[in-house]
Amino acid sequence: MKIRNMMIGASVIATLMSVQNAEAQIGKPYIHDPSTLAECDGKYYTFGTGRGGLISEDGWSWHDGGVRPGGGAAPDVIKIGDRYLVIYGATGGGLGGGHNGRILTMWNKTLDPSSPDFQYTEAIEVAASDGMEDNDAIDPGVLLDPNTGRLWVSYGTYFGFIRLIELDPKTGKRVEGNVEKDIAIDCEATDLIYRDGWYYLLGTHGTCCDGVNSTYNIVVGRSRSVEGPYIDNVGRDMLKGGGKMVIAAGDRVVGPGHFGRTVLDEGVEVMSCHYEADFNQGGRSVLGIRPLLWKNGWPVAGDRFKEGTYEIESERRGYALELAVDFVRMKQERKAWFRLDPNEPVVPIENQKLDEVIGEWPKDNINVRIGDYMFRPHQRWTITAVPEAGGYLSNPYFKITIEGTDRALVATSDLEVTTVPSFTGSDEQLWRIEQLTDGTFRIMPKAIPGQEGVNKKYVLYSIADSTPTLAEWDFNSDNSKWNFRNH
């Protein structure tokens, strides 16, 4: 946003600040080199370099409290069976001037420090570097292969090669006789993931640890074998410096690094990372969470949903969500085309205005339907963050109101949707909006009246071309998917 008038009023500044805060993880999300997000007993955890870690009850507000002994750098965490394996670099990375690194693993039954079962096992060394070889044993990332059950670790920095080793998923120890293999170069802080027959190696490229001047970005290559070769989208081997861009600087944050993938539901994924510097938070290194999209078989960071006024368009047919009110025709002087004077000045037609039609709308609840989009007031929805209501991984909850009014979209106890004259902040008026792996969105009410807890099942659903309702989430049906158009 370019602000040309430097004499900005206090109310405008407050509005800008509220928008910026709504788009960032809230609380104290300060961390460097975060692990992949882990869920334990309904809470989310991530661990970082040189300290413990962060905890979140909802995925949106983060605070200190995670505990990880051993210090060191760039941990990762994975749940295997009913235990959590934590892996980290004890030294290396040029810390203390050297590259003689060590990578250690340890187990815990829980990540909750308040649990009576909270107790880490003694750390076990699984890899090391002597400071002279072409590798630095630091920055581990783990993958439990869903096809074979084998446990793999990639590790290394710019000081030489990225290497791959295999661990025993029952003990966390190095598989006896396993020999490390070089799989990439010119990156660090790698992570391995698997999807649809492909293994993906995510690496962090660029410079770190320089605040707003850091150039970190995340790149990717893929292979049919976990042992590589990892090739990018134009055929370059990551052993020769290849890598397709996944995420770079943007939205006043720079230096994304340390990729982690979290699958929330079928077709609903997020990626975690840190930003070396968040301009809106004084240049601190912070946790970042973004939707994870898949385009032509490649992972790419999506965008957190942002406030604005939109057409809410059904993926099913391309029709728009609208109030079920009478269509009001617009006046237009029309002439036959052969009578038009080509030299006559063209006068633009303004959009229909709210005050021209709102007097004919009912004052109480108004149902919703789906119809052809015509730029009309009953089809334009203003979506506003409600950060005080909490959130979920990647965003706060939102209210959805007709532009220029307080008339709010609401879920009903009989799994339908309607609108009420004014927004009250009740949970059934709050909406979770998530970008899906194919780039479309799902829209979910925070709660269903008469049902306990946060709704994780029902979504806004186009049951027919003209009928919106609430139904169970189904990624394989376009009825569950929506788009937001800023016309």
Side-chain angles (χ1 to χ4, degrees):
M1 177 185 297
K2 293 183 178 179
I3 302 175
R4 301 182 183 279
N5 185 353
M6 298 303 294
M7 300 298 292
I8 306 175
S11 61
V12 175
I13 293 175
T15 299
L16 290 173
M17 289 301 295
S18 69
V19 172
Q20 290 174 353
N21 291 339
E23 292 175 0
Q25 300 298 129
I26 63 173
K28 296 181 179 180
Y30 311 129
I31 196 167
H32 203 259
D33 306 338
S35 68
T36 299
L37 305 179
E39 186 176 4
C40 179
D41 296 330
K43 297 180 181 180
Y44 295 100
Y45 294 78
T46 184
F47 301 100
T49 286
R51 57 192 297 267
L54 302 177
I55 302 175
S56 177
E57 283 73 22
D58 60 5
W60 181 242
S61 179
W62 292 83
H63 56 83
D64 285 327
V67 175
R68 177 186 66 83
D76 203 9
V77 59
I78 186 173
K79 187 175 185 181
I80 302 176
D82 60 354
R83 297 186 299 166
Y84 296 86
L85 179 69
V86 175
I87 185 168
Y88 64 100
T91 53
L95 300 174
H99 295 280
N100 51 334
R102 299 169 63 231
I103 292 178
L104 307 175
T105 64
M106 54 189 177
W107 295 91
N108 205 328
K109 293 181 179 180
T110 177
L111 299 178
D112 182 0
S114 65
S115 170
D117 293 326
F118 183 82
Q119 180 64 53
Y120 281 101
T121 60
E122 184 177 350
I124 300 170
E125 182 179 303
V126 296
S129 56
D130 61 12
M132 300 298 293
E133 61 188 294
D134 288 332
N135 173 261
D136 188 337
I138 197 173
D139 289 2
V142 292
L143 168 68
L144 184 66
D145 191 329
N147 298 309
T148 65
R150 297 169 72 178
L151 183 62
W152 301 92
V153 176
S154 61
Y155 66 93
T157 70
Y158 276 100
F159 186 76
F161 292 100
I162 302 299
R163 287 183 171 168
L164 181 75
I165 59 172
E166 184 179 1
L167 305 185
D168 185 330
K170 295 181 179 179
T171 65
K173 297 180 180 179
R174 181 91 165 259
V175 169
E176 187 175 352
N178 173 252
V179 177
E180 59 270 12
K181 182 175 182 178
D182 297 336
I183 57 173
I185 201 168
D186 199 25
C187 62
E188 59 190 19
T190 56
D191 193 33
L192 291 163
I193 63 176
Y194 175 84
R195 184 180 188 269
D196 290 348
W198 290 97
Y199 296 89
Y200 295 84
L201 179 65
L202 287 294
T204 307
H205 185 262
T207 62
C208 84
C209 314
D210 195 15
V212 295
N213 301 299
S214 301
T215 64
Y216 251 9
N217 55 81
I218 298 174
V219 298
V220 63
R222 69 183 184 182
S223 174
R224 290 295 187 183
S225 168
V226 71
E227 297 186 70
Y230 286 92
I231 310 299
D232 69 13
N233 59 315
V234 293
R236 296 175 300 173
D237 193 327
M238 291 187 74
L239 259 176
K240 297 181 179 179
K244 180 184 186 298
M245 183 67 72
V246 176
I247 181 174
D251 284 343
R252 289 180 56 78
V253 289
V254 299
H258 289 259
F259 175 93
R261 177 195 184 201
T262 301
V263 179
L264 302 177
D265 210 336
E266 184 179 9
V268 190
E269 302 181 11
V270 296
M271 60 156 286
S272 57
C273 64
H274 77 235
Y275 298 117
E276 289 279 338
D278 184 333
F279 280 62
N280 293 333
Q281 300 208 46
R284 295 191 185 197
S285 179
V286 301
L287 177 66
I289 300 176
R290 297 275 289 273
L292 183 61
L293 280 57
W294 290 89
K295 295 184 177 181
N296 301 317
W298 292 98
V300 61
D303 294 314
R304 293 185 306 275
F305 185 83
K306 295 182 179 180
E307 300 173 317
T309 297
Y310 302 95
E311 172 209 355
I312 302 177
E313 180 185 280
S314 168
E315 179 74 1
R316 171 190 171 99
R317 182 66 181 266
Y319 287 167
L321 186 70
E322 64 182 25
L323 297 181
V325 295
D326 290 338
F327 180 83
V328 178
R329 296 180 59 82
M330 295 176 61
K331 294 181 179 180
Q332 177 189 3
E333 182 181 354
R334 303 183 65 192
K335 296 180 181 179
W337 64 269
F338 53 83
R339 294 180 178 174
L340 291 175
D341 180 356
N343 297 314
E344 183 178 338
V346 173
V347 179
I349 297 175
E350 293 185 357
N351 287 354
Q352 190 177 69
K353 294 182 172 58
L354 176 66
D355 59 12
E356 295 173 347
V357 295
I358 193 171
E360 303 300 319
W361 295 355
K363 304 301 182 186
D364 51 4
N365 290 8
I366 302 177
N367 288 332
V368 291
R369 65 190 177 207
I370 305 172
D372 292 295
Y373 185 67
M374 298 290 288
F375 313 99
R376 304 304 165 95
H378 67 293
Q379 300 176 310
R380 293 180 54 78
W381 302 88
T382 295
I383 302 177
T384 309
V386 188
E388 64 272 17
Y392 45 94
L393 286 174
S394 78
N395 265 119
Y397 287 105
F398 295 91
K399 66 176 180 178
I400 303 177
T401 57
I402 287 292
E403 182 184 23
T405 78
D406 201 31
R407 177 168 291 279
L409 187 68
V410 59
T412 67
S413 59
D414 56 354
L415 297 179
E416 300 294 347
V417 285
T418 188
T419 64
V420 293
S422 61
F423 176 76
T424 65
S426 61
D427 284 351
E428 64 269 20
Q429 297 180 4
L430 298 169
W431 297 87
R432 174 174 177 160
I433 303 175
E434 294 167 297
Q435 191 171 32
L436 309 177
T437 54
D438 63 5
T440 61
F441 293 82
R442 74 173 180 180
I443 306 171
M444 304 177 69
K446 181 179 181 181
I448 306 293
Q451 298 187 15
E452 293 186 3
V454 174
N455 166 51
K456 296 182 179 179
K457 183 177 182 180
Y458 296 104
V459 301
L460 185 65
Y461 194 91
S462 176
I463 199 170
D465 290 345
S466 61
T467 308
T469 187
L470 296 176
E472 293 187 25
W473 164 244
D474 181 2
F475 177 70
N476 297 308
S477 172
D478 284 349
N479 291 328
S480 296
K481 302 175 182 179
W482 302 83
N483 294 291
F484 295 86
R485 309 295 188 194
N486 185 12
H487 295 289

